[in-house]
Every structure is written in C-alpha cells, then in structure tokens.
Amino acid sequence: MTKKVTITDLAKKAGVSVTTVSQILNGKDARFSTKTIEKVKALQKDMGYIPDFNAQNLISKTGKTIGVLIPSLSNPFFAIFSAGIQNEARKEEYVPLVFASNNDRELENQYLLESIRRAADGMIISSPVSDVDYIDSILSQNHIPYILIDQAPSAQEDPIDVANYEGGAKVANYLLENGHTRIVIVAGDDPTVNIRKRLQGFRDAFKDHGVTISDNQIIYTHLSKKGGYDVSNKAVAAKPTAIFAVNDELAIGLYRGIKEAGLRIPDDISVVGYDDIDWAKYVDPKLSTVHQPALEMGQAAAKLIIERIESGNNGSLESGRKISLPIQLIKRGSVKKIN
Amino acid sequence: MTKKVTITDLAKKAGVSVTTVSQILNGKDARFSTKTIEKVKALQKDMGYIPDFNAQNLISKTGKTIGVLIPSLSNPFFAIFSAGIQNEARKEEYVPLVFASNNDRELENQYLLESIRRAADGMIISSPVSDVDYIDSILSQNHIPYILIDQAPSAQEDPIDVANYEGGAKVANYLLENGHTRIVIVAGDDPTVNIRKRLQGFRDAFKDHGVTISDNQIIYTHLSKKGGYDVSNKAVAAKPTAIFAVNDELAIGLYRGIKEAGLRIPDDISVVGYDDIDWAKYVDPKLSTVHQPALEMGQAAAKLIIERIESGNNGSLESGRKISLPIQLIKRGSVKKIN
DNA sequence: TTGAAAGCGCTAACAA
DNA sequence: TTGTTAGCGCTTTCAA
C-alpha cells in the first residue's frame, strides 16, 4: 500500500519548505513568487495531495462539523429537515453528522457523546426524549453550542419558532367554519412543547367559540403511521365528526383505520393533519393540513448554530437570536362542511 | 472559555506520566498497579476527560468513518437504507457520514472529495449518476475501499444482490396469473443496472408466456411520486389493464393521477410497485409490490465495507464477497383478476 | 511498574 | 521571498 502523500513529500519534490507549501495552499501566498506558487499548485495536482484532516483539525480545533440528533429518518419531516441542514451547512463548508436515535434514550446519549468525541463544533438536537438539563450540562462543559428544536418540556424557548399555537388555532377555526364541534384529537405520547402549543392553540380557539375540548377527547399513541392506525378504532368509536391529528403520519394511519372500519373521509368523518409532508397530496382524499417549512427549518437551524459557533458564543440556555418561520393552512379534500 | 481537558492535565493531576494515562485508558493496563489504574480512571471521570479525536486519528490513521452517498433522503427507501447502515456501523463503532446528492453530479463529486478529506475509511455509494471509472480511480488512488449499490451501468457486479431479475419476473407472473397482458411499465430515467434487471426479468417472463413487451410500452420519467403523477395521463392513455411501476414512489404518483382521471384501482386498472416502502400499506387500495429489504441492505452494505476496511482490502472493482438477500412478492389490493 | 522521547502531518510565530 | 522551529494532543517504542 502506497502511503498517502504528505505535505513533506510535496515540499521535498518542490524543493521548498513545508511552510511554503502550507501557506500557499491556504491562500496566504502574498509573499511568494509566482513561480513558486505555480510550482506548488501544479505539484499538488500531480501528486494528488489532500491535506490531512486530522492534522489540520488538531491545530485549528475545528472540524467544521455539526452533530445532529433526530428521532428518525423514516418520518419524512425529519428526512427533509436533515436535508435542509445539509444544504445550508454545505454553503459554509460544514458537514452534519446525523444520528437517528429512534427515541431510545440510551442511543441518544451515546450519539451525543460520539458527536462530542468527534469534535462536533455545535449541535442541533431535535430528539424529544432528551433530558434537557443533562444535555445542557454535558454540552456546556465541553463548550459546545447547541440548539434544541421541537424539544421536550423545557425552560428554553425554541430558537426556531414556527407558530405552533397559531397553527393549532388555524386548524380549529377551519374545522369550526365547517361546522365541526364533535372532535377527537390524536397526539403522540409525551408531546413536545411544540405539539403542546399546537394543542393549546387548537383548544383555545374552540373555547373561544364556546366549545370545550376535554382531556378525554385526546387520544395518545405512538407518533407514527402505525400509531395512528392502532388507535383509529378508538377514535372512531367516539363518533366525532372530525379528527385532528397532530401530525400527518398519524393522520395517514387514521385514514387506513377509518377506511377499514368502512367509513369514508370526509363524508363520514373529516381529518386534518399537521406538517404537510409531501405524501399529504398523494393520499385519497388529499389531506388538509398545516404546512410546516421542514426544509427551511433545517436551514434555519444550521444557520443559527453556525452563527453561534463562529461567534464563539458557546451559549447554553439563554443565548442567541431566534428565527420565525411562517406556516400555512392547506385546505385539501379531507374536511367536509357539515351542519 | 475554559480549555478542554487534555491528557497532560490529567497526568499532572494524577502525578503520573502521560504514557501511563494513555496506556491505562486504552486498556493496556497490565503492567500498572491497581492503585494507579484506579486513580487515573477516577480522575478521568472527575475531569470529564475525552481524548481528542483528531490527535488519536492522526496517529492511528483511522477515524472509523464510512462515507455514504445516496440520491436523496426523501425517498423512504433510502432513508431506511441509511438507517440500516447506521445500525450496523454502530455495532463496530463506525460512524456514517451521509450525503444526499440529489442526483446532482457536481454535488456528488464534492461530497466524494469531502468524504476523502474527512478521512473516510471506506465508502458506500448508492447514487446512480456516478461515473464509475472516475470514482474507482479517485478512490483507488486514495486506497479507500468502496462498494457500489444499485449502480449505474457498470462492469462491476453489485456486491449486494437482491434478485432483481427474479423480482421482475415475479411481478410479471403475478400479473399474468390475473389475466393481464395489456401492460404499461413506468420506469425512472436512466435506469440503474438493478432496475434494468428488474425490467428484463419482467419482460422475459412475459415473453415466456408468448407476450412481447415492446420498448414503447415503457414510459420513462423522474423517479419520484411526482414523476409517476406526471406521466399518469400518458400511461392511462395507452389503456393498459395493468401498470408495473419500477418503484413504489412511482406507483403512488400513478395512483393519484389515475384517480384524478376518474379511474379506479384495481377495478379499471391494476398497479404493482416495487420496494414495499411502509407507505405501501397506507394507500388506498393497499399497493401490491415486491418487498425489498432496505434495512437489511443497509446493514449488509455496512458489514461488507467494514470487512473490507479491516481486512486492508482496498479493493476496487474486482474484490470482495457478496451478500444475497431475499425478496418477496407482496399481494395486496391493487391488482384485480380479469379475464 | 513507570517514564522520556520521538513523531503523526500540519500551521504559525519568528527569523533571516 | 523563504525557512527554522516549536507545538497541537496523543500513542508507542525503548529504557530505566
């Protein structure tokens, strides 16, 4: 096995010092002769020299790496969210290290440590099972800035605001306009703050119209298609005229269960989701939902964390600016007007 | 900003040399007194010492990193595939660096170089636009083993075999058994070898039954839901009794178009997909398809590349063992018997 | 049972 | 315009 070309090899071959090569290749070539510069650059190509990442990082203390913790890649929302992070990171020459924790606390913890070990410069954490205090303590100790997205009950305000309260209220008003007052809500177990706000907005809007939604109208289940499917009987049994699923995956699971129960959407029952994953347009009937800008959220998260990294603001809970992103109610075919 | 704890800090505090600390922390503690060992280990916890990744790699020349190139995360097949890689890699303490190239050749190339720069020990490439010769040359030069999955026309046999020819044939026979001979195939542009084999198996099976499927019965489009949707009119216009979509995304796009055209599945037209993404069970009617073990494929890919890395087999095209994975025809509700 | 010293590949003061 | 030297944090001979 031929060894990798090092800067010393290159320097020798060029008949200059390693400093010269290093400087030139790093763009600090002001003080060198054109001749030397060209010689070095040509040789770099010829020899296929690529600077050693580890050696560089050992000195610079930054590998331009962002650790990313998400619950799962199989939820399209997070797949797109991750894509957004990657897009934005790329512009600044950062690389995301994406870990899916599957809501497994231990795994999540391992991946957190692995990110630190791999010298992540910052972290984006969007995995809901986290113990926020623990994360804050370990990350602060290591002086790694981080942002929490869509996080478990936490003192910290989400730095990326996507108007969940308003979103929930929009769904409520949409349903109200269409005459629905007999409602079931389907939510994921251990709802995150974002989803709680969404729920709160929804319930408050109903209350404003004189309709109280009690806790037993909320069904909790695993936050997935299967979770929605599993509780569809229960949801249907309550004989609502409309169901609000706190995300689209849930809604699509409900679709299946509702149809298997012999009911039609929206004739027998209306369904509204949340997220507007691309699949929402491909189910029958097309799903009414609230558009969340998943891609933009990923981009915003990456932008924010890079800002913090480069500003040296190793901020924990208190720090940093916020980004607000718009949401939008998308009316499609899954809600019917009743009277 | 407090500095990160280094091995020197720890050694000083323990009153021993860095060698001692290094040896003990790396499990080579045979020759040290229990007392020293305990002291060092305790101090590690206390001080929160984490060895510097870059410094370690600089010496060991391996960062236990696998570069992964996929077309996109938004296709659930690849999301699951990536999850499989991560699962398996984790067991061996490798970390995948996942890059989605979106079929953009330039991006793909950038990510390839970035993986090399970041000292990937091996690569899994599953992005169909690649220029295989180029990849082989650059990776070989850098002595990085790699495996190509589901790759563009290539001399190399896929190291992970998922019986595409047989899969295609199974779909064909299924359709044949149900009386379908008027067929349209919907495929992605620039089909990969795997998909070609799938197609070939399909066509050969029909031919065996005396039915020739001509090239103009194949419609090419973007390999996505939208791609399927976009050509649905064209597909319907050919008045087939059944459509074979080479993947589920395409099939689900077709579903939408077919319904919008006022036709019913499977009464007016039967549809079969390929992949068995989890969504296949959640569309109406449930999609008949061929189950591809995406998760297992990811695991197998990771296993294979780790084997090559650790065996020092920096193999390019010729090398390495193969893994065969079973597929399965899943009959659901999207095919109807006709006569 | 322990430590001194060299060196991994690179960057950056400081000289020349 | 270029080179010498030190040193990043760690592992690993080799010696004590």
Side-chain angles (χ1 to χ4, degrees), chain B residues 1-77:
Chain B
M1 163 165 172
T2 334
K3 287 202 44 187
K4 212 180 137 182
V5 181
T6 73
I7 197 172
T8 317
D9 301 334
L10 177 36
K12 256 184 204 143
K13 203 151 196 167
V16 298
S17 75
V18 293
T19 309
T20 305
V21 177
S22 171
Q23 299 285 52
I24 289 176
L25 262 25
N26 287 315
K28 299 170 188 168
D29 53 8
R31 31 187 261 222
F32 298 98
S33 70
T34 323
K35 214 177 115 196
T36 314
I37 294 177
E38 274 170 6
K39 186 166 51 177
V40 168
K41 286 195 172 163
L43 233 26
Q44 171 186 28
K45 286 217 161 177
D46 282 4
M47 306 177 69
Y49 167 67
I50 300 179
D52 186 274
F53 183 71
N54 295 124
Q56 283 184 320
N57 293 171
L58 182 54
I59 297 166
S60 69
K61 304 289 178 219
T62 164
K64 294 223 168 201
T65 305
I66 301 169
V68 178
L69 250 45
I70 55 172
S72 136
L73 239 22
S74 56
N75 178 339
F77 178 81

Side-chain angles (χ1 to χ4, degrees), chain B residues 14-180:
Chain B
V16 298
S17 75
V18 293
T19 309
T20 305
V21 177
S22 171
Q23 299 285 52
I24 289 176
L25 262 25
N26 287 315
K28 299 170 188 168
D29 53 8
R31 31 187 261 222
F32 298 98
S33 70
T34 323
K35 214 177 115 196
T36 314
I37 294 177
E38 274 170 6
K39 186 166 51 177
V40 168
K41 286 195 172 163
L43 233 26
Q44 171 186 28
K45 286 217 161 177
D46 282 4
M47 306 177 69
Y49 167 67
I50 300 179
D52 186 274
F53 183 71
N54 295 124
Q56 283 184 320
N57 293 171
L58 182 54
I59 297 166
S60 69
K61 304 289 178 219
T62 164
K64 294 223 168 201
T65 305
I66 301 169
V68 178
L69 250 45
I70 55 172
S72 136
L73 239 22
S74 56
N75 178 339
F77 178 81
F78 286 106
I80 302 294
F81 177 74
S82 303
I85 293 177
Q86 187 155 98
N87 283 179
E88 187 63 30
R90 200 176 70 80
K91 295 187 200 158
E92 310 289 335
E93 299 181 291
Y94 278 75
V95 165
L97 228 48
V98 180
F99 295 110
S101 68
N102 292 311
N103 293 323
D104 175 330
R105 210 180 186 107
E106 198 189 335
L107 244 189
E108 183 191 49
N109 187 31
Q110 276 185 26
Y111 283 141
L112 180 64
L113 293 178
E114 186 66 24
S115 299
I116 298 177
R117 216 174 68 73
R118 290 186 176 250
D121 301 301
M123 297 223 52
I124 296 172
I125 300 173
S126 177
S127 178
V129 300
S130 320
D131 176 337
V132 178
D133 289 335
Y134 168 70
I135 285 187
D136 184 58
S137 108
I138 189 154
L139 253 15
S140 305
Q141 270 182 49
N142 286 278
H143 309 284
I144 298 174
Y146 66 94
I147 63 182
L148 254 25
I149 310 275
D150 194 16
Q151 199 39 258
S154 118
Q156 185 186 85
E157 273 293 307
D158 212 311
I160 297 181
D161 181 52
V162 280
N164 275 283
Y165 186 88
E166 291 76 6
K170 280 189 183 189
V171 174
N173 288 322
Y174 176 41
L175 253 21
L176 247 7
E177 284 161 20
N178 283 283
H180 296 280

Side-chain angles (χ1 to χ4, degrees), chain A residues 7 19 22 28 49 56 59:
Chain A
I7 197 172
T19 309
S22 171
K28 297 168 188 168
Y49 168 68
Q56 283 185 321
I59 297 166

Side-chain angles (χ1 to χ4, degrees), chain A residues 148-159:
Chain A
L148 254 27
I149 310 275
D150 193 19
Q151 199 37 260
S154 119
Q156 187 186 123
E157 274 292 308
D158 212 313

Side-chain angles (χ1 to χ4, degrees), chain A residues 15 22 67 86 111 125-126 128 135 143 153 208 212 244-245 302 306 309 319 322 334:
Chain A
S22 171
Q86 187 155 97
Y111 283 141
I125 299 173
S126 179
I135 285 186
H143 309 284
D208 288 350
T212 302
F244 171 38
I306 292 175
I309 292 169
S319 59
K322 294 181 171 38
S334 63

